[in-house]
């Protein structure tokens, strides 16, 4: 199990995370990322990690 | 025949599409060695910050690394930096580079594009383009010691440079050959709103104007002559007038190129006309369409890499681009050129075709843009599944 950490002060609402993993990320009406489920079970880790790595402003981290 | 653990994947191009190709291939089970060849001296880096953060006076410049060294290590990829591909032999399955010949079992070409220049300005000191990190450092340096700057081209790159220059208090003249900034991409009405962002920020925007000549001294550029007859004083000139696919090295390879744009012709699975060769990113002309968007480059890279490793995925994505002008967030999603109806809200232009929303331009409207993008992605996924 890993955990998602989002830095809203860095997020620019570009939404690459949501485009790749919309069950974990959503850009809200304030234009910033909402983490829908912050715990990532191991089978989902790969594609959630890819979504996190694709953030162009590095606002997301996967812990553990 | 080499075993799967010895088969060599070669990726030419170390930008976003190239690195995503490696990730796509590994995710699809490629077990053999992987080499990425890039012609720049830096670790693989990301381009969007080059015209934004790297130009900002508020932060020291840094190479915006695409992946940490730990991630690259996990991918087990050999990165050859400062190495340029010069020829491809698809029969012998070799790529000739400035560092010798490299063989491959599967090849992904992702060499990106090169900034368009004006031949009459070639070699003039103080005239810049912005494509690579080193270009961005040169533009940054020019901005730190300029009072007056002329930027040619009011597209995304030119407009972002204009924003960075205004933030430093520089007098900026933005010269655009077309009627309004991004008019061909977003239509006349939306382009008028974008134009307003520049004029509100104190950028002098000259439309339907081109550069007719340049005067320089021993120190570099001095004055810019315009098609209107006006002459502008300038400490620096930056060209943001587009880019062309960097495919000259493929000319005699047998990989079919689009005669019009020089892009690499490929099908929806990003396979080229040559066996074991895939393409991705700016150079890829997918079923006749070439996209220069960051999001498309990443997704195409992933799909090309996966397919090189034996998958059979098709590339499909909702076009998306973003930019920041004078602190305003601009987002373009979906199709904005083939609409039959435009709905202009406050900071949000919705494009419809036959009654259905097909795209939008948002200015400081990330919520509505995100919702539409979600809907368009869901439609695309539905269409792909049916």
């Amino acid at each position: 199990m890993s955990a998602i950490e989002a830095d809203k002060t860095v997020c620019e609402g570009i939404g690459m995370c949501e485009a790749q993993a919309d069950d974990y990320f959503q850009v809200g009406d304030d234009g910033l990322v909402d983490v829908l489920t912050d715990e990532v079970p191991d089978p989902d880790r790969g594609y959630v990690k890819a979504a996190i790595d694709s953030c162009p402003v590095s606002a997301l981290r996967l812990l553990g | 025949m080499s075993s799967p653990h010895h088969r060599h994947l070669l990726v030419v191009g170390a930008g976003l599409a190239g690195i995503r190709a490696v990730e796509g291939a590994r995710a699809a089970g490629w077990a053999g060695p992987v080499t990425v060849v890039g012609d720049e001296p830096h670790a693989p880096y990301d381009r969007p910050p080059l015209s934004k953060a790297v130009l900002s006076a508020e932060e020291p410049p840094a190479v915006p690394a695409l992946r940490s060294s730990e991630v690259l290590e996990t991918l087990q990829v050999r990165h050859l930096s400062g190495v340029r591909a010069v020829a491809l032999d698809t029969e012998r399955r070799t790529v000739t580079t400035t560092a010798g010949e490299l063989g491959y079992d599967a090849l992904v070409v992702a060499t990106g594009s090169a900034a368009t220049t004006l031949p009459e300005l070639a070699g003039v000191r103080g005239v810049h383009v912005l494509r690579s990190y080193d270009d961005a450092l040169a533009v940054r340096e020019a901005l730190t010691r300029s009072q007056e700057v002329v930027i040619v081209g009011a597209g995304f790159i030119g407009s972002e440079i204009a924003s960075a220059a205004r933030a430093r208090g520089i007098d900026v003249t933005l010269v655009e050959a077309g009627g309004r900034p991004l008019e061909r991409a977003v239509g006349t009405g939306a382009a008028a709103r974008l134009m307003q962002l520049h004029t509100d920020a104190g950028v002098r925007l000259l439309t339907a104007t081109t550069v007719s000549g340049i005067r320089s001294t021993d120190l570099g550029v001095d004055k810019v002559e315009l098609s209107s007859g006006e002459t502008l004083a300038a400490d620096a000139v930056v060209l943001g007038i587009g880019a062309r696919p960097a495919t000259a090295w493929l000319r005699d390879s047998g990989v079919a190129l689009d005669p019009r744009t020089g892009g690499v012709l490929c099908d929806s699975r990003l396979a080229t006309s040559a066996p074991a060769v895939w393409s991705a990113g700016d150079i890829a002309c997918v079923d006749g369409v070439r996209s220069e968007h960051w999001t498309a480059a990443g997704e195409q890279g992933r799909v090309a890499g996966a397919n090189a490793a034996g998958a059979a995925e098709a590339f499909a994505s909702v076009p998306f681009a973003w930019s920041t002008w004078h602190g305003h967030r601009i987002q373009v999603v979906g199709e904005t050129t083939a609409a039959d109806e435009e709905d202009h809200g406050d900071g949000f232009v919705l494009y419809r075709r036959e009654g259905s929303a097909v795209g939008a331009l948002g200015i400081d409207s990330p919520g509505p843009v995100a919702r539409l993008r979600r809907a368009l992605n869901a439609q695309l996924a539905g269409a792909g599944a049916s």
Side-chain angles (χ1 to χ4, degrees):
Chain A
M1 194 76 104
S2 309
I4 296 169
E5 190 180 74
D7 184 347
K8 285 205 178 199
T9 64
V10 174
C11 177
E12 291 185 14
I14 293 157
M16 292 308 296
C17 52
E18 178 179 333
Q20 293 183 62
D22 61 1
D23 39 354
Y24 285 90
F25 305 101
Q26 187 167 332
V27 177
D29 284 355
D30 58 356
L32 300 177
V33 64
D34 288 327
V35 178
L36 304 176
T37 312
D38 57 5
E39 298 213 329
V40 186
D42 287 345
D44 288 356
R45 202 174 184 282
Y47 82 91
V48 173
K49 181 80 171 68
I52 284 172
D53 283 344
S54 74
C55 175
V57 295
S58 302
L60 301 168
R61 296 262 180 286
L62 195 59
L63 308 173
Chain B
M1 197 66 173
S2 50
S3 83
H5 294 282
H6 293 97
R7 284 163 49 84
H8 181 216
L9 171 65
L10 179 60
V11 177
V12 182
L16 174 67
I19 294 306
R20 292 289 289 148
V22 175
E23 291 175 335
R26 288 296 188 213
W30 186 275
V34 176
T35 306
V36 173
V37 173
D39 62 357
E40 294 183 51
H42 309 289
Y45 64 85
D46 207 9
R47 285 182 201 284
L50 298 185
S51 49
K52 304 177 179 86
V54 175
L55 300 186
S56 163
E58 284 154 31
E59 356 184 350
V63 177
L66 257 172
R67 296 290 183 265
S68 67
S69 50
E70 293 81 34
V71 169
L72 292 176
E73 210 164 289
T74 313
L75 287 168
Q76 292 186 286
V77 54
R78 181 170 64 134
H79 173 224
L80 302 180
S81 61
V83 173
R84 196 162 46 82
V86 291
L88 164 64
D89 185 330
T90 56
E91 281 176 24
R92 289 174 53 235
R93 299 200 178 185
T94 56
V95 170
T96 306
T97 76
T98 50
E101 205 172 78
L102 297 166
Y104 64 83
D105 295 288
L107 172 68
V108 175
V109 289
T111 36
S113 47
T116 307
T117 56
L118 296 172
E120 57 270 34
L121 303 189
V124 179
R125 255 182 82 187
V127 177
H128 302 272
V129 293
L130 204 171
R131 185 75 205 161
S132 67
Y133 179 68
D134 292 344
D135 292 339
L137 285 188
V139 172
R140 180 189 166 94
E141 226 283 296
L143 294 183
T144 56
R145 50 179 173 70
S146 295
Q147 270 97 54
E148 295 164 292
V149 170
V150 174
I151 297 162
V152 186
F156 279 127
I157 295 280
S159 293
E160 288 172 10
I161 298 166
S163 302
R166 279 306 296 150
R168 289 169 180 265
I170 296 169
D171 281 346
V172 178
T173 306
L174 191 49
V175 179
E176 166 60 40
R180 286 170 178 169
L182 293 171
E183 189 163 27
R184 272 187 306 167
V186 299
T188 309
R193 289 168 175 246
L194 294 174
M195 188 153 98
Q196 194 66 41
L197 297 181
H198 280 313
T199 49
D200 286 350
V203 171
R204 185 167 177 236
L205 178 61
L206 304 176
T207 55
T209 305
T210 55
V211 172
S212 56
I214 200 147
R215 284 187 238 154
S216 57
T217 68
D218 291 348
L219 296 171
V221 60
D222 182 41
K223 293 202 160 50
V224 177
E225 295 167 349
L226 303 177
S227 57
S228 60
E230 190 180 351
T231 300
L232 303 171
D235 304 314
V237 175
V238 191
L239 306 177
I241 52 174
R244 277 177 311 211
T247 53
W249 66 286
L250 295 170
R251 210 168 281 151
D252 301 317
S253 68
V255 169
L257 302 179
D258 177 10
R260 203 170 47 84
T261 64
V264 176
L265 295 176
C266 43
D267 64 16
S268 63
R269 292 178 176 183
L270 303 168
T272 71
S273 63
V277 183
W278 288 263
S279 184
D282 281 6
I283 63 170
C285 186
V286 185
D287 289 336
V289 179
R290 207 163 62 79
S291 164
E292 293 176 288
H293 291 316
W294 186 94
T295 47
E299 182 58 8
Q300 285 175 5
R302 190 192 65 75
V303 171
N307 290 349
E313 287 191 43
F315 165 72
S317 102
V318 173
F320 181 70
W322 79 95
S323 189
T324 304
W325 299 7
H326 315 292
H328 296 282
R329 186 182 305 168
I330 295 159
Q331 296 173 308
V332 185
V333 64
E335 292 182 41
T336 49
T337 52
D340 53 29
E341 194 192 329
E342 286 177 23
D343 181 3
H344 289 246
D346 186 26
F348 188 72
V349 181
L350 185 65
Y351 300 80
R352 286 200 192 87
R353 197 167 58 229
E354 292 165 9
S356 301
V358 291
L361 166 81
I363 301 173
D364 299 323
S365 303
V369 169
R371 281 196 294 276
L372 178 65
R373 190 175 181 200
R374 245 184 320 268
L376 294 175
N377 270 317
Q379 273 173 30
L380 193 67
S386 63

